[in-house]
Coordinates of all heavy atoms in Angstrom, one line a residue:
M1014 N 62.1 36.9 33.7 CA 62.7 36.1 32.6 C 62.8 37.1 31.4 O 62.0 37.9 31.1 CB 61.7 35.0 32.2 CG 62.3 34.0 31.3 SD 61.1 32.9 30.6 CE 60.5 32.1 32.0
N1015 N 64.0 37.0 30.7 CA 64.2 37.8 29.5 C 63.5 37.1 28.3 O 64.1 36.1 27.7 CB 65.7 37.9 29.3 CG 66.1 38.7 28.1 OD1 65.3 38.8 27.1 ND2 67.3 39.3 28.0
T1016 N 62.3 37.5 27.9 CA 61.6 36.8 26.9 C 62.2 36.9 25.5 O 62.1 35.9 24.7 CB 60.1 37.3 26.8 OG1 60.2 38.8 26.7 CG2 59.3 37.0 28.0
T1017 N 62.9 38.0 25.2 CA 63.6 38.1 23.9 C 64.7 37.0 23.8 O 64.8 36.3 22.8 CB 64.3 39.4 23.7 OG1 63.3 40.4 24.0 CG2 64.8 39.7 22.3
E1018 N 65.5 36.8 24.9 CA 66.5 35.8 24.8 C 65.9 34.4 24.8 O 66.3 33.5 24.1 CB 67.5 35.9 26.0 CG 68.4 34.7 26.0 CD 69.7 34.9 26.7 OE1 69.9 35.9 27.4 OE2 70.6 34.0 26.4
L1019 N 64.8 34.2 25.6 CA 64.1 32.9 25.6 C 63.6 32.5 24.2 O 63.9 31.4 23.7 CB 62.9 32.9 26.6 CG 62.1 31.7 26.7 CD1 62.9 30.5 27.2 CD2 60.8 31.9 27.5
E1020 N 63.0 33.5 23.5 CA 62.5 33.2 22.1 C 63.7 32.9 21.2 O 63.6 32.0 20.4 CB 61.7 34.4 21.6 CG 60.3 34.4 22.1 CD 59.5 35.6 21.8 OE1 59.9 36.4 20.9 OE2 58.5 35.9 22.5
A1021 N 64.8 33.7 21.3 CA 66.0 33.4 20.5 C 66.5 32.0 20.7 O 66.9 31.3 19.8 CB 67.0 34.5 20.7
R1022 N 66.6 31.7 22.0 CA 67.2 30.3 22.3 C 66.2 29.2 21.8 O 66.7 28.2 21.3 CB 67.4 30.2 23.8 CG 68.4 31.1 24.4 CD 69.8 30.7 24.1 NE 70.7 31.7 24.5 CZ 72.0 31.7 24.2 NH1 72.5 30.6 23.6 NH2 72.8 32.6 24.6
R1023 N 64.9 29.5 21.9 CA 64.0 28.4 21.4 C 64.0 28.3 19.9 O 63.9 27.2 19.4 CB 62.6 28.8 21.9 CG 62.4 28.4 23.4 CD 61.0 28.7 23.9 NE 60.8 28.2 25.2 CZ 59.8 28.5 26.0 NH1 58.8 29.3 25.5 NH2 59.7 28.0 27.2
A1024 N 64.3 29.4 19.2 CA 64.4 29.4 17.8 C 65.6 28.6 17.4 O 65.6 27.8 16.4 CB 64.5 30.8 17.2
R1025 N 66.7 28.7 18.2 CA 67.9 27.9 17.9 C 67.6 26.5 18.1 O 68.1 25.6 17.3 CB 69.1 28.4 18.8 CG 69.7 29.7 18.4 CD 70.8 30.1 19.3 NE 72.0 29.5 19.1 CZ 73.2 30.0 19.5 NH1 73.2 31.1 20.1 NH2 74.3 29.3 19.2
I1026 N 66.9 26.2 19.2 CA 66.6 24.7 19.4 C 65.7 24.2 18.3 O 65.9 23.1 17.8 CB 65.8 24.6 20.8 CG1 66.9 24.7 21.9 CG2 65.1 23.3 20.9 CD1 66.3 24.5 23.3
D1027 N 64.8 25.0 17.8 CA 64.0 24.5 16.6 C 64.8 24.2 15.4 O 64.6 23.2 14.7 CB 62.9 25.6 16.3 CG 61.8 25.7 17.4 OD1 61.7 24.8 18.2 OD2 61.0 26.7 17.3
R1028 N 65.8 25.1 15.2 CA 66.7 24.8 14.0 C 67.6 23.6 14.2 O 67.8 22.8 13.3 CB 67.6 26.0 13.7 CG 66.9 27.2 13.1 CD 67.8 28.2 12.5 NE 68.7 28.9 13.5 CZ 68.3 29.9 14.2 NH1 67.1 30.5 14.1 NH2 69.1 30.5 15.1
I1029 N 68.0 23.4 15.5 CA 68.8 22.2 15.8 C 67.9 20.9 15.6 O 68.4 19.9 15.1 CB 69.4 22.3 17.2 CG1 70.5 23.4 17.3 CG2 70.0 20.9 17.7 CD1 70.9 23.8 18.7
D1030 N 66.7 21.0 16.1 CA 65.8 19.9 16.0 C 65.5 19.5 14.5 O 65.5 18.3 14.1 CB 64.4 20.2 16.7 CG 64.5 20.1 18.2 OD1 65.5 19.5 18.7 OD2 63.6 20.5 18.9
S1031 N 65.4 20.6 13.7 CA 65.2 20.3 12.2 C 66.4 19.6 11.6 O 66.3 18.6 10.9 CB 65.0 21.6 11.5 OG 63.8 22.2 11.9
A1032 N 67.6 20.0 12.1 CA 68.8 19.3 11.6 C 68.9 17.9 12.1 O 69.3 17.0 11.3 CB 70.1 20.1 12.0
L1033 N 68.5 17.7 13.3 CA 68.5 16.3 13.9 C 67.5 15.4 13.1 O 67.8 14.3 12.8 CB 68.1 16.3 15.4 CG 69.2 16.8 16.3 CD1 68.7 17.0 17.7 CD2 70.4 15.9 16.4
V1034 N 66.3 16.0 12.8 CA 65.4 15.2 12.1 C 65.9 14.8 10.7 O 65.8 13.6 10.3 CB 64.0 16.0 11.9 CG1 63.1 15.3 10.9 CG2 63.3 16.1 13.2
R1035 N 66.6 15.7 10.0 CA 67.2 15.4 8.7 C 68.3 14.2 8.9 O 68.3 13.3 8.1 CB 67.9 16.6 8.1 CG 66.8 17.5 7.5 CD 67.5 18.5 6.5 NE 68.4 19.4 7.2 CZ 68.0 20.6 7.8 NH1 66.7 20.9 7.9 NH2 68.9 21.3 8.5
L1036 N 69.1 14.3 9.9 CA 70.1 13.3 10.2 C 69.5 12.0 10.5 O 69.9 10.9 10.0 CB 71.1 13.8 11.3 CG 72.0 14.9 11.0 CD1 72.8 15.3 12.2 CD2 73.0 14.4 9.9
V1037 N 68.5 12.0 11.4 CA 67.9 10.7 11.7 C 67.2 10.1 10.5 O 67.2 8.9 10.3 CB 66.9 10.8 12.9 CG1 66.2 9.5 13.3 CG2 67.7 11.3 14.2
A1038 N 66.6 10.9 9.6 CA 65.9 10.4 8.4 C 67.0 9.8 7.5 O 66.8 8.7 6.9 CB 65.2 11.6 7.7
A1039 N 68.2 10.4 7.4 CA 69.3 9.9 6.6 C 69.7 8.5 7.2 O 70.0 7.5 6.5 CB 70.4 10.8 6.5
R1040 N 69.8 8.5 8.5 CA 70.1 7.2 9.2 C 69.1 6.1 8.9 O 69.4 5.0 8.6 CB 70.2 7.5 10.7 CG 70.7 6.3 11.5 CD 70.7 6.5 13.0 NE 71.6 5.6 13.6 CZ 71.4 4.3 13.8 NH1 70.3 3.8 13.3 NH2 72.3 3.5 14.4
Q1041 N 67.8 6.5 9.0 CA 66.8 5.5 8.8 C 66.8 5.0 7.3 O 66.5 3.8 7.1 CB 65.4 6.3 9.0 CG 64.2 5.3 9.1 CD 62.9 6.1 9.3 OE1 62.9 7.0 10.1 NE2 61.9 5.7 8.5
R1042 N 67.2 5.8 6.4 CA 67.3 5.3 5.0 C 68.3 4.2 4.9 O 68.2 3.2 4.2 CB 67.6 6.5 4.0 CG 66.3 7.4 3.8 CD 66.6 8.3 2.6 NE 67.5 9.4 2.9 CZ 67.2 10.5 3.5 NH1 66.0 10.7 3.9 NH2 68.1 11.4 3.7
Q1043 N 69.5 4.4 5.6 CA 70.5 3.4 5.6 C 70.0 2.1 6.2 O 70.3 1.0 5.8 CB 71.8 3.9 6.3 CG 72.4 5.1 5.6 CD 72.7 4.9 4.1 OE1 73.2 3.8 3.7 NE2 72.2 5.8 3.3
V1044 N 69.3 2.3 7.4 CA 68.8 1.1 8.1 C 67.8 0.3 7.1 O 67.9 -0.9 7.1 CB 68.0 1.6 9.3 CG1 67.2 0.4 9.9 CG2 69.0 2.1 10.4
A1045 N 67.0 1.0 6.3 CA 66.1 0.4 5.4 C 66.9 -0.4 4.3 O 66.5 -1.5 3.9 CB 65.2 1.4 4.8
V1046 N 68.0 0.2 3.8 CA 68.8 -0.5 2.8 C 69.4 -1.7 3.4 O 69.4 -2.8 2.8 CB 69.9 0.5 2.2 CG1 70.8 -0.3 1.2 CG2 69.2 1.6 1.4
I1047 N 70.0 -1.6 4.6 CA 70.6 -2.8 5.2 C 69.6 -3.9 5.4 O 69.9 -5.1 5.3 CB 71.3 -2.4 6.6 CG1 72.5 -1.4 6.3 CG2 71.7 -3.6 7.4 CD1 73.1 -0.9 7.6
A1048 N 68.3 -3.5 5.7 CA 67.3 -4.5 5.8 C 67.2 -5.5 4.6 O 67.0 -6.7 4.7 CB 65.9 -3.9 6.1
T1049 N 67.4 -4.9 3.4 CA 67.4 -5.7 2.2 C 68.5 -6.7 2.1 O 68.5 -7.6 1.3 CB 67.4 -4.8 0.9 OG1 68.7 -4.2 0.8 CG2 66.3 -3.8 0.9
L1050 N 69.6 -6.5 2.9 CA 70.7 -7.4 2.9 C 70.6 -8.5 3.9 O 71.5 -9.4 4.0 CB 72.0 -6.6 3.2 CG 72.2 -5.3 2.3 CD1 73.5 -4.5 2.8 CD2 72.4 -5.7 0.8
K1051 N 69.6 -8.4 4.7 CA 69.5 -9.4 5.8 C 68.6 -10.6 5.4 O 67.8 -10.5 4.4 CB 68.9 -8.7 7.1 CG 69.9 -7.7 7.6 CD 69.6 -7.3 9.0 CE 70.8 -6.4 9.5 NZ 70.6 -5.9 10.9
T1052 N 68.7 -11.7 6.1 CA 68.2 -13.0 5.6 C 66.8 -13.3 6.1 O 66.1 -14.1 5.5 CB 69.1 -14.1 6.0 OG1 69.4 -14.0 7.4 CG2 70.4 -14.1 5.2
G1053 N 66.3 -12.6 7.1 CA 65.0 -12.9 7.6 C 64.7 -12.0 8.8 O 65.6 -11.4 9.4
P1054 N 63.4 -11.9 9.2 CA 63.0 -11.0 10.3 C 63.9 -11.2 11.6 O 64.2 -10.3 12.3 CB 61.6 -11.3 10.6 CG 61.1 -11.9 9.3 CD 62.2 -12.6 8.7
D1055 N 64.2 -12.5 11.8 CA 65.0 -12.8 13.1 C 66.4 -12.3 13.0 O 67.1 -12.2 14.0 CB 65.0 -14.3 13.3 CG 63.6 -14.8 13.7 OD1 62.8 -14.0 14.1 OD2 63.4 -16.0 13.7
S1056 N 66.9 -11.9 11.8 CA 68.3 -11.4 11.7 C 68.3 -9.9 11.8 O 69.4 -9.3 11.8 CB 68.9 -11.9 10.3 OG 68.2 -11.2 9.3
A1057 N 67.2 -9.3 11.9 CA 67.1 -7.8 12.0 C 67.9 -7.2 13.2 O 68.8 -6.4 13.0 CB 65.7 -7.3 12.0
R1058 N 67.5 -7.7 14.3 CA 68.2 -7.2 15.6 C 69.5 -7.9 15.8 O 69.6 -9.1 15.9 CB 67.3 -7.4 16.8 CG 67.7 -6.6 18.0 CD 66.8 -6.9 19.2 NE 67.2 -6.1 20.3 CZ 68.2 -6.4 21.1 NH1 68.8 -7.5 20.9 NH2 68.5 -5.6 22.1
D1059 N 70.6 -7.0 15.8 CA 72.0 -7.5 16.0 C 72.6 -7.0 17.3 O 73.1 -5.9 17.3 CB 72.8 -7.1 14.7 CG 74.2 -7.6 14.8 OD1 74.7 -8.0 15.8 OD2 74.8 -7.7 13.7
P1060 N 72.5 -7.8 18.3 CA 72.9 -7.3 19.7 C 74.4 -6.9 19.7 O 74.8 -6.0 20.5 CB 72.6 -8.5 20.6 CG 71.8 -9.5 19.8 CD 72.0 -9.2 18.4
V1061 N 75.2 -7.6 18.9 CA 76.7 -7.3 19.0 C 76.9 -5.9 18.4 O 77.6 -5.1 18.9 CB 77.5 -8.4 18.2 CG1 79.0 -8.0 18.1 CG2 77.3 -9.7 18.9
R1062 N 76.2 -5.7 17.2 CA 76.4 -4.3 16.6 C 75.8 -3.2 17.5 O 76.3 -2.2 17.6 CB 75.7 -4.4 15.2 CG 75.6 -3.1 14.5 CD 77.0 -2.6 14.0 NE 76.8 -1.4 13.3 CZ 77.7 -0.4 13.3 NH1 78.9 -0.5 13.9 NH2 77.5 0.7 12.6
I1063 N 74.6 -3.6 18.1 CA 74.0 -2.6 19.0 C 75.0 -2.2 20.2 O 75.1 -1.0 20.5 CB 72.7 -3.1 19.6 CG1 71.6 -3.2 18.5 CG2 72.2 -2.3 20.8 CD1 70.3 -3.9 18.8
A1064 N 75.6 -3.2 20.8 CA 76.5 -3.0 21.9 C 77.7 -2.1 21.4 O 78.1 -1.2 22.1 CB 77.0 -4.3 22.4
A1065 N 78.2 -2.4 20.2 CA 79.3 -1.6 19.6 C 78.9 -0.2 19.4 O 79.7 0.8 19.7 CB 79.8 -2.3 18.3
I1066 N 77.7 0.0 18.9 CA 77.3 1.4 18.6 C 77.1 2.2 19.9 O 77.6 3.3 20.0 CB 75.9 1.4 17.8 CG1 76.2 0.9 16.4 CG2 75.3 2.8 17.8 CD1 74.9 0.7 15.6
L1067 N 76.6 1.5 20.9 CA 76.4 2.2 22.2 C 77.7 2.6 22.8 O 77.8 3.7 23.4 CB 75.5 1.3 23.2 CG 74.0 1.2 22.8 CD1 73.3 0.2 23.7 CD2 73.3 2.5 22.9
T1068 N 78.7 1.7 22.7 CA 80.0 2.0 23.2 C 80.6 3.2 22.5 O 81.2 4.2 23.1 CB 81.0 0.8 23.1 OG1 80.4 -0.3 23.8 CG2 82.4 1.1 23.6
R1069 N 80.5 3.3 21.2 CA 81.0 4.4 20.4 C 80.3 5.7 20.7 O 80.9 6.7 20.9 CB 80.9 4.0 18.9 CG 81.9 4.7 18.0 CD 81.9 4.3 16.6 NE 80.5 4.2 16.1 CZ 79.8 5.2 15.7 NH1 80.3 6.4 15.8 NH2 78.5 5.0 15.3
V1070 N 79.0 5.6 20.9 CA 78.2 6.8 21.2 C 78.5 7.3 22.6 O 78.7 8.5 22.8 CB 76.6 6.5 21.1 CG1 75.8 7.5 21.7 CG2 76.2 6.3 19.6
Q1071 N 78.8 6.4 23.5 CA 79.2 6.8 24.9 C 80.5 7.6 24.8 O 80.6 8.7 25.4 CB 79.3 5.6 25.7 CG 79.5 5.9 27.2 CD 79.6 4.6 28.0 OE1 80.2 3.6 27.6 NE2 79.0 4.6 29.2
S1072 N 81.5 7.1 24.1 CA 82.8 7.8 24.0 C 82.6 9.2 23.3 O 83.1 10.2 23.7 CB 83.8 7.0 23.1 OG 83.9 5.8 23.7
A1073 N 81.8 9.2 22.2 CA 81.6 10.4 21.5 C 80.8 11.4 22.3 O 81.2 12.6 22.3 CB 80.8 10.1 20.2
A1074 N 79.9 10.9 23.1 CA 79.1 11.8 24.0 C 80.1 12.5 25.0 O 80.0 13.7 25.3 CB 78.0 11.1 24.7
R1075 N 80.9 11.7 25.6 CA 81.9 12.2 26.6 C 82.8 13.3 26.0 O 83.0 14.3 26.6 CB 82.8 11.0 27.1 CG 82.1 10.2 28.2 CD 83.1 9.2 28.8 NE 82.3 8.3 29.6 CZ 82.6 7.0 29.8 NH1 83.6 6.5 29.2 NH2 81.8 6.3 30.6
R1076 N 83.3 13.0 24.7 CA 84.2 14.0 24.1 C 83.4 15.3 23.8 O 84.0 16.3 23.9 CB 84.6 13.4 22.7 CG 85.8 12.5 22.8 CD 86.5 12.3 21.4 NE 85.6 11.9 20.4 CZ 85.2 10.7 20.1 NH1 85.6 9.7 20.9 NH2 84.3 10.4 19.2
C1077 N 82.1 15.2 23.5 CA 81.4 16.4 23.0 C 80.7 17.1 24.2 O 80.0 18.1 24.0 CB 80.3 16.0 22.0 SG 81.0 15.3 20.5
G1078 N 80.8 16.5 25.4 CA 80.1 17.1 26.5 C 78.6 16.9 26.5 O 77.8 17.7 27.0
L1079 N 78.2 15.8 25.8 CA 76.7 15.4 25.8 C 76.5 14.5 26.9 O 77.2 13.5 27.1 CB 76.4 14.7 24.4 CG 75.0 14.0 24.3 CD1 73.9 15.0 24.5 CD2 74.9 13.3 23.0
D1080 N 75.5 14.8 27.7 CA 75.1 14.1 28.9 C 74.8 12.6 28.5 O 73.9 12.4 27.7 CB 73.9 14.7 29.6 CG 73.6 14.1 30.9 OD1 74.1 13.0 31.3 OD2 72.8 14.8 31.7
E1081 N 75.6 11.6 29.1 CA 75.3 10.2 28.7 C 73.9 9.8 29.2 O 73.4 8.8 28.6 CB 76.3 9.3 29.5 CG 77.7 9.3 28.8 CD 78.7 8.5 29.6 OE1 78.4 7.4 30.0 OE2 79.8 9.1 29.9
A1082 N 73.4 10.4 30.2 CA 72.1 10.1 30.7 C 71.0 10.4 29.7 O 69.9 9.9 29.7 CB 71.8 10.8 32.0
I1083 N 71.4 11.3 28.7 CA 70.5 11.6 27.6 C 70.9 10.7 26.4 O 70.0 10.0 25.8 CB 70.5 13.1 27.2 CG1 70.0 13.9 28.3 CG2 69.8 13.3 25.9 CD1 70.1 15.4 28.1
A1084 N 72.2 10.7 26.1 CA 72.6 10.0 24.9 C 72.3 8.5 24.8 O 71.7 8.0 23.8 CB 74.1 10.2 24.7
I1085 N 72.6 7.8 25.9 CA 72.4 6.3 25.9 C 71.0 5.9 25.7 O 70.6 5.1 24.8 CB 73.1 5.7 27.1 CG1 74.7 5.9 27.0 CG2 72.9 4.2 27.2 CD1 75.3 5.4 25.7
P1086 N 70.0 6.4 26.5 CA 68.6 6.0 26.3 C 68.1 6.4 25.0 O 67.3 5.7 24.4 CB 67.8 6.8 27.4 CG 68.8 7.2 28.4 CD 70.2 7.3 27.7
V1087 N 68.5 7.6 24.5 CA 68.0 8.0 23.1 C 68.5 7.0 22.1 O 67.7 6.6 21.2 CB 68.5 9.5 22.8 CG1 68.4 9.8 21.3 CG2 67.8 10.5 23.7
W1088 N 69.8 6.7 22.1 CA 70.3 5.7 21.1 C 69.8 4.3 21.3 O 69.5 3.7 20.3 CB 71.9 5.7 21.1 CG 72.3 6.5 19.9 CD1 72.6 6.0 18.7 CD2 72.6 7.9 19.8 NE1 73.0 7.0 17.8 CE2 73.0 8.2 18.5 CE3 72.5 9.0 20.7 CZ2 73.3 9.5 18.1 CZ3 72.8 10.2 20.3 CH2 73.2 10.5 19.0
R1089 N 69.6 3.9 22.6 CA 69.0 2.6 22.8 C 67.6 2.5 22.1 O 67.3 1.6 21.4 CB 68.7 2.4 24.3 CG 69.8 1.6 24.9 CD 69.4 1.1 26.3 NE 70.5 1.1 27.3 CZ 71.5 0.2 27.2 NH1 71.5 -0.7 26.3 NH2 72.5 0.3 28.1
E1090 N 66.8 3.6 22.3 CA 65.5 3.6 21.7 C 65.6 3.6 20.2 O 64.8 2.9 19.5 CB 64.7 4.9 22.2 CG 63.2 4.9 21.9 CD 62.4 3.9 22.6 OE1 62.8 3.4 23.7 OE2 61.3 3.5 22.1
L1091 N 66.5 4.5 19.7 CA 66.6 4.6 18.2 C 67.0 3.2 17.6 O 66.5 2.8 16.6 CB 67.8 5.6 17.9 CG 68.1 6.0 16.5 CD1 66.9 6.5 15.7 CD2 69.3 7.0 16.5
L1092 N 67.9 2.5 18.3 CA 68.4 1.2 17.8 C 67.3 0.2 17.9 O 67.2 -0.6 16.9 CB 69.7 0.8 18.6 CG 70.9 1.6 18.3 CD1 72.0 1.4 19.4 CD2 71.5 1.3 16.9
E1093 N 66.6 0.2 18.9 CA 65.5 -0.8 19.1 C 64.4 -0.6 18.0 O 63.9 -1.5 17.4 CB 64.9 -0.9 20.5 CG 65.9 -1.4 21.5 CD 66.4 -2.8 21.3 OE1 65.8 -3.6 20.6 OE2 67.6 -3.1 21.7
R1094 N 64.0 0.7 17.9 CA 63.0 1.1 16.8 C 63.5 0.7 15.4 O 62.7 0.3 14.6 CB 62.7 2.6 16.9 CG 62.1 3.0 18.2 CD 60.6 2.6 18.3 NE 60.1 2.8 19.7 CZ 58.9 2.8 20.0 NH1 57.9 2.5 19.1 NH2 58.5 2.9 21.3
S1095 N 64.8 0.9 15.2 CA 65.4 0.6 13.9 C 65.3 -0.9 13.6 O 64.9 -1.3 12.5 CB 66.8 1.1 13.8 OG 66.9 2.5 13.9
A1096 N 65.6 -1.7 14.6 CA 65.6 -3.1 14.4 C 64.1 -3.6 14.2 O 63.8 -4.4 13.3 CB 66.1 -3.8 15.7
E1097 N 63.2 -2.9 14.9 CA 61.7 -3.3 14.7 C 61.3 -2.9 13.3 O 60.6 -3.7 12.7 CB 60.9 -2.5 15.8 CG 60.8 -3.2 17.1 CD 60.3 -4.6 17.1 OE1 59.3 -4.9 16.4 OE2 61.0 -5.5 17.6
S1098 N 61.7 -1.7 12.8 CA 61.3 -1.3 11.5 C 61.9 -2.3 10.4 O 61.3 -2.6 9.5 CB 61.7 0.1 11.3 OG 62.7 0.3 10.4
Q1099 N 63.2 -2.7 10.7 CA 63.7 -3.7 9.7 C 63.0 -5.0 9.7 O 62.7 -5.6 8.7 CB 65.2 -4.0 10.1 CG 66.2 -3.0 9.7 CD 67.6 -3.4 9.9 OE1 67.9 -4.3 10.8 NE2 68.5 -2.8 9.2
K1100 N 62.5 -5.5 10.9 CA 61.8 -6.7 11.0 C 60.5 -6.6 10.2 O 60.2 -7.5 9.4 CB 61.3 -6.9 12.5 CG 62.1 -7.9 13.2 CD 61.5 -8.2 14.6 CE 62.6 -8.8 15.4 NZ 62.4 -8.9 16.8
T1101 N 59.8 -5.5 10.3 CA 58.6 -5.3 9.5 C 58.9 -5.2 8.0 O 58.2 -5.9 7.2 CB 57.9 -3.9 9.9 OG1 57.8 -3.9 11.3 CG2 56.6 -3.7 9.2
L1102 N 60.0 -4.5 7.6 CA 60.4 -4.4 6.2 C 60.7 -5.8 5.6 O 60.3 -6.1 4.5 CB 61.6 -3.5 6.0 CG 61.3 -2.0 6.2 CD1 62.7 -1.2 6.2 CD2 60.4 -1.4 5.1
I1103 N 61.5 -6.6 6.4 CA 61.9 -7.9 5.9 C 60.7 -8.8 5.8 O 60.5 -9.5 4.8 CB 63.0 -8.5 6.8 CG1 64.2 -7.6 6.8 CG2 63.3 -9.9 6.4 CD1 65.2 -7.9 7.9
A1104 N 59.8 -8.8 6.8 CA 58.6 -9.6 6.8 C 57.7 -9.2 5.6 O 57.2 -10.1 4.9 CB 57.8 -9.5 8.1
C1105 N 57.6 -7.9 5.3 CA 56.8 -7.5 4.1 C 57.4 -7.9 2.8 O 56.7 -8.4 1.9 CB 56.6 -6.0 4.1 SG 55.5 -5.3 5.3
A1106 N 58.7 -7.8 2.7 CA 59.4 -8.3 1.5 C 59.2 -9.8 1.3 O 59.0 -10.2 0.1 CB 60.9 -7.9 1.6
E1107 N 59.3 -10.5 2.4 CA 59.1 -12.0 2.2 C 57.7 -12.3 1.8 O 57.5 -13.3 1.0 CB 59.4 -12.7 3.6 CG 60.9 -12.8 3.8 CD 61.2 -13.5 5.1 OE1 60.2 -13.8 5.9 OE2 62.3 -13.8 5.4
K1108 N 56.7 -11.5 2.2 CA 55.3 -11.8 1.8 C 55.1 -11.5 0.3 O 54.5 -12.2 -0.4 CB 54.3 -10.8 2.6 CG 53.6 -11.5 3.8 CD 52.5 -10.6 4.3 CE 52.2 -11.0 5.7 NZ 51.5 -9.9 6.4
T1109 N 55.7 -10.3 -0.1 CA 55.6 -9.9 -1.5 C 56.3 -10.9 -2.4 O 55.9 -11.3 -3.5 CB 56.2 -8.5 -1.7 OG1 55.8 -7.7 -0.6 CG2 55.8 -7.9 -3.0
D1110 N 57.5 -11.3 -2.0 CA 58.3 -12.3 -2.8 C 58.8 -13.4 -1.9 O 59.9 -13.3 -1.3 CB 59.5 -11.5 -3.4 CG 60.4 -12.4 -4.2 OD1 60.1 -13.6 -4.4 OD2 61.5 -12.0 -4.7
P1111 N 58.1 -14.5 -1.8 CA 58.4 -15.6 -0.9 C 59.7 -16.2 -1.2 O 60.3 -17.0 -0.3 CB 57.2 -16.6 -1.1 CG 56.2 -15.9 -1.8 CD 56.9 -14.8 -2.6
S1112 N 60.3 -16.0 -2.4 CA 61.7 -16.6 -2.7 C 62.8 -15.9 -2.0 O 63.9 -16.3 -2.0 CB 61.9 -16.5 -4.2 OG 62.1 -15.2 -4.6
T1113 N 62.5 -14.7 -1.4 CA 63.6 -13.9 -0.7 C 63.9 -14.5 0.7 O 63.0 -15.0 1.3 CB 63.3 -12.4 -0.6 OG1 62.1 -12.2 0.2 CG2 63.3 -11.7 -1.9
Ligands
PRE1659 O1 74.2 -2.6 11.4 C1 73.1 -3.3 11.1 O2 73.1 -4.5 11.0 C2 71.9 -2.6 11.0 O3 70.9 -3.2 10.6 C3 71.7 -1.2 11.5 C4 71.2 -1.1 12.9 C5 71.2 0.4 13.4 O4 70.1 0.9 13.6 O5 72.3 0.9 13.4 C6 69.8 -1.7 13.0 C7 69.5 -2.9 13.4 C8 70.5 -3.8 14.1 O6 70.0 -4.2 15.4 C9 71.8 -3.1 14.3 C10 72.1 -1.9 13.8

């Protein structure tokens, strides 16, 4: 094994991971803002929107050469976790201000 190349490739992966974390954090901030626009914890998870996003991600993955076997489960998890986090945020907001 060429250890110099391995280290260089792993350093690139670390930089890509850092960029991905920044992007997912930016996404999460939008998810949190959208939570404030929803009417209750039961409205957090939107199956129609989830299906539309998965379709779009599938097409984008195909165009970019990203393996769908990676893309789809990753986005499914991201979307389910996002909906769960919205549920919690909405429930907390309702507790703090019962008029919302
Ligand atoms: O589009 C919305 O309604 C959102 O709240 C965003 C988002 C997402 O993570 O993209 C989160 C929860 C919903 O299940 C659908 C999509």
Side-chain angles (χ1 to χ4, degrees):
M1014 192 192 300
N1015 179 338
T1016 51
T1017 310
E1018 172 152 16
L1019 178 65
E1020 276 168 23
R1022 297 285 170 185
R1023 283 181 173 170
R1025 284 176 81 159
I1026 284 181
D1027 290 345
R1028 285 196 295 277
I1029 292 167
D1030 283 346
S1031 296
L1033 285 173
V1034 167
R1035 283 195 295 277
L1036 286 172
V1037 176
R1040 184 184 202 287
Q1041 194 183 312
R1042 286 192 288 277
Q1043 297 309 310
V1044 167
V1046 173
I1047 292 175
T1049 68
L1050 309 174
K1051 295 196 172 179
T1052 48
D1055 291 345
S1056 68
R1058 191 178 183 283
D1059 183 336
V1061 174
R1062 176 66 179 149
I1063 289 174
I1066 291 174
L1067 288 173
T1068 301
R1069 206 173 46 76
V1070 165
Q1071 188 177 41
S1072 305
R1075 280 186 190 147
R1076 276 198 309 277
C1077 298
L1079 169 60
D1080 189 346
E1081 283 175 48
I1083 293 175
I1085 296 303
V1087 165
W1088 256 270
R1089 263 192 215 290
E1090 191 67 23
L1091 182 61
L1092 290 163
E1093 292 304 332
R1094 298 280 167 170
S1095 296
E1097 278 305 309
S1098 110
Q1099 279 187 339
K1100 257 188 203 167
T1101 307
L1102 288 171
I1103 296 166
C1105 285
E1107 282 182 352
K1108 259 191 202 162
T1109 317
D1110 179 5
S1112 70
T1113 58

